[in-house]
Amino acid sequence: MQLVFATNNLNKIKEVQALIPNHIKLLSLKEIGCFEDIPETQSTIEGNSIEKAAYVKTHYGYDCFADDTGLEVEALNGAPGVYSARYAGEQRSADDNMNKLLTELSTKTNRNAQFKTVVTLQLNNKQHTFTGTCKGEITSTKSGELGFGYDPIFKPKGFQQTFAEMDLSLKNDIGHRGKAILQLVDFLNS
């Protein structure tokens, strides 16, 4: 079986490849000739995931899956949420996004947050969605060199290190994307 993973994010591809069984061949957008930015115009994480998967199926004809992820911070009423990647602007800078979030939380005592990933599978003209979350808190400073995005300031519940201080296998075991992808894998294996 081959499936397109509708992303150009090499970090996501690396994370997901580690979770997908060998009998499923992952194709990147580049491998199918998709070089345009896939629209993400929806107001929810679920909506963006569905939109991206439908776009690849409609325009390229491949069975595929897409994900969208957001960081939801309690003290900010769920922000940055669906706008996580471009929270500090269209340049999509992880450092700018983290700095903005840390500034906004500087006077808050509630630092509870969760990552949420929704994966949408387009397979045999049917659509299936899988959701994974990881609860934790936002640290006051960046720590760690691994991972990407908000990983240096997110400490999962029950752990003393940030995602950026964890190796990939641990992050996949406890993380939002790993949970959603494992649901996808279970579905494909059933």
Side-chain angles (χ1 to χ4, degrees), residues 46-114:
E46 296 86 347
N48 277 342
S49 175
I50 290 167
E51 181 177 32
K52 289 190 279 189
Y55 183 92
V56 170
K57 183 65 176 173
T58 300
H59 290 84
Y60 293 90
Y62 287 89
D63 286 333
C64 67
F65 65 95
D67 81 315
D68 198 42
T69 297
L71 177 62
E72 301 171 330
V73 180
E74 269 183 25
L76 303 177
N77 299 316
V82 71
Y83 303 106
S84 293
R86 53 193 176 279
Y87 192 46
E90 288 302 318
Q91 75 276 15
R92 295 175 174 243
S93 162
D95 274 329
D96 292 351
N97 290 337
M98 286 187 285
N99 292 338
K100 178 178 180 178
L101 183 59
L102 290 174
T103 298
E104 290 188 355
L105 288 178
S106 63
T107 61
K108 310 276 190 209
T109 53
N110 177 359
R111 300 183 78 85
N112 293 334
Q114 75 170 7

Side-chain angles (χ1 to χ4, degrees), residues 10-11 35 37 53 67 75 81 84 105 111 114 117 135 158 177-178:
L10 298 178
N11 292 303
F35 297 101
D37 281 337
D67 81 315
S84 293
L105 288 178
R111 300 183 78 85
Q114 75 170 7
T117 293
K135 295 189 180 304
R177 188 171 296 103

Side-chain angles (χ1 to χ4, degrees), residues 115-190:
F115 271 116
K116 177 180 177 183
T117 293
V118 177
V119 172
T120 300
L121 172 68
Q122 288 276 159
L123 182 65
N124 302 324
N125 297 313
K126 291 193 174 127
Q127 191 179 85
H128 310 273
T129 58
F130 310 94
T131 302
T133 60
C134 182
K135 295 189 180 304
E137 63 183 42
I138 303 301
T139 59
S140 55
T141 58
K142 299 174 196 171
S143 186
E145 300 294 321
L146 305 173
F148 61 99
Y150 294 90
D151 288 356
I153 62 170
F154 183 82
K155 184 169 67 172
K157 190 173 187 173
F159 291 85
Q160 292 307 308
Q161 69 261 53
T162 66
F163 269 165
E165 296 172 301
M166 294 180 177
D167 67 43
L168 184 58
S169 62
L170 177 57
K171 183 183 174 191
N172 275 341
D173 284 347
I174 65 169
H176 47 291
R177 188 171 296 103
K179 290 175 183 175
I181 293 295
L182 288 177
Q183 292 172 43
L184 166 73
V185 170
D186 287 346
F187 176 82
L188 292 171
N189 285 336
S190 67

